[in-house]
DNA sequence: AAAGATTGAACACTCAATCTTG
DNA sequence: CAAGATTGAGTGTTCAATCTTT
């Protein structure tokens, strides 16, 4: 009986995790779109660049910061450059690389979007949870990512 | 000081939630692809159909079961029909609608994939967590989705 | 008009192959 | 050859518009 209830618990928790994803992300993304005029991908890239000290950053570094593969980032930067949100600037040290920086419009948009999105996350994600639940989420994520290093699905 | 630590907790928890998403899903999807030859979208649709009693189901019902909008599902069914994973069958009651069912190949694939994917989820997601943590995830999801009904980001 | 479903365009992501510079 | 980045094709997702049947 103990095994059976553990199994049900596992399935329920997995579905719970997915229900958070699927219920929370769409309204957040829609809100970002309507209030700030940018997509989630554009938001993540602009936020990543803003974390850089000099308001510009090399793509390989940016890909680490936001956890994307280079091919994904390269496509996204191209689309955003075409839209006038970011611009590429030559890199003096290494001719293979370059810097990505904001356009004036891109900087204005992300400065506007950051507090708006943070407020929305707070309202929809954090507000209904207790301190203990927030702490537990951090612990859970740590357990899962640690275990991931060890396991490899063969 | 209390407000400050609550704010940090909220940001940490939000990042923790995302780190689960971004660390767990890619290996699971890759595993599904390599072991079963299908994508995540194909898996979700096939699993949804298998939950139907008669091994076939109407699209509008399927869209509720898996939580997708109809346009997304319609595109996906078309691609899967072209690949020979599912087939459309006329619906006698209502000429606007139809039934989606498995092809022989589609049924074989999902019967093979279900236990494989469940095992992978168990190994990467559930195994490192305690019973209490799994229960907490269910409670957290419930709090968030309940709150979502009340809030609307104006 | 409402319900069930589809379509085409725009945007996003992944894979494998490629190109250039170090 | 390694590293940094790009490209093109294939797949997936969203939005708004559309079409048919009820």
């Amino acid at each position: 009986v103990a095994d059976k209830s553990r199994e049900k618990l596992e399935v329920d928790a997995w579905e719970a995790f997915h229900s958070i994803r699927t219920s929370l992300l769409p309204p957040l993304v829609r809100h970002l779109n309507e209030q700030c005029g940018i997509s989630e991908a554009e938001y993540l890239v602009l936020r990543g660049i803003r974390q850089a000290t000099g308001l510009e950053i090399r793509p390989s570094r940016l890909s680490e910061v936001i956890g994307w593969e280079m091919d994904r980032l390269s496509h996204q930067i191209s689309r955003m450059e075409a839209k006038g949100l970011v611009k590429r600037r030559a890199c003096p040290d290494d001719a293979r690389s370059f810097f990505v920086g904001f356009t004036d419009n891109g900087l204005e948009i992300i400065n506007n979007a950051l507090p708006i999105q943070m407020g929305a996350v707070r309202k929809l994600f954090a507000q209904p949870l207790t301190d203990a639940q927030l702490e537990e989420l951090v612990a859970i994520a740590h357990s899962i990512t640690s275990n991931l290093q060890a396991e490899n699905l063969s």
Side-chain angles (χ1 to χ4, degrees), chain A residues 4-116:
Chain A
K4 185 63 187 171
S5 96
R6 168 73 189 188
E7 195 175 336
K8 178 170 178 0
L9 211 48
E10 291 180 343
V11 172
D12 287 352
W14 179 241
E15 284 171 5
F17 173 70
H18 270 95
S19 75
I20 299 176
R21 265 221 306 159
T22 56
S23 67
L24 212 47
L25 262 39
L28 282 176
V29 169
R30 224 176 302 123
H31 188 245
L32 191 61
N33 241 279
E34 290 163 1
Q35 300 300 310
C36 311
I38 53 174
S39 69
E40 187 186 18
E42 290 163 345
Y43 174 78
L44 293 174
V45 168
L46 292 176
R47 192 182 66 175
I49 298 175
R50 253 220 45 162
Q51 287 174 6
T53 51
L55 294 190
E56 60 180 13
I57 185 175
R58 285 168 62 161
S60 54
R61 174 76 188 119
L62 182 54
S63 88
E64 290 170 7
V65 170
I66 65 181
W68 286 16
E69 299 297 322
M70 267 307 300
D71 54 355
R72 181 179 177 188
L73 183 56
S74 180
H75 279 304
Q76 190 62 39
I77 290 175
S78 295
R79 283 190 297 264
M80 291 175 71
E81 193 172 29
K83 276 177 102 167
L85 291 171
V86 301
K87 55 188 172 191
R88 289 172 161 105
R89 189 173 73 75
C91 176
D93 311 347
D94 189 334
R96 288 173 307 184
S97 185
F98 58 90
F99 288 108
V100 208
F102 296 109
T103 60
D104 291 346
N105 186 30
L107 184 56
E108 191 180 340
I109 286 181
I110 191 59
N111 283 339
N112 179 249
L114 280 171
I116 290 180

Side-chain angles (χ1 to χ4, degrees), chain A residues 102-151:
Chain A
F102 296 109
T103 60
D104 291 346
N105 186 30
L107 184 56
E108 191 180 340
I109 286 181
I110 191 59
N111 283 339
N112 179 249
L114 280 171
I116 290 180
Q117 188 64 0
M118 258 186 54
V121 166
R122 235 184 142 165
K123 193 171 180 181
L124 297 191
F125 170 78
Q127 183 230 309
L129 304 181
T130 65
D131 285 13
Q133 286 177 319
L134 296 175
E135 277 165 8
E136 194 65 87
L137 269 177
V138 174
I140 286 170
H142 183 256
S143 293
I144 289 178
T145 52
S146 297
N147 177 64
L148 217 52
Q149 313 297 323
E151 302 284 354

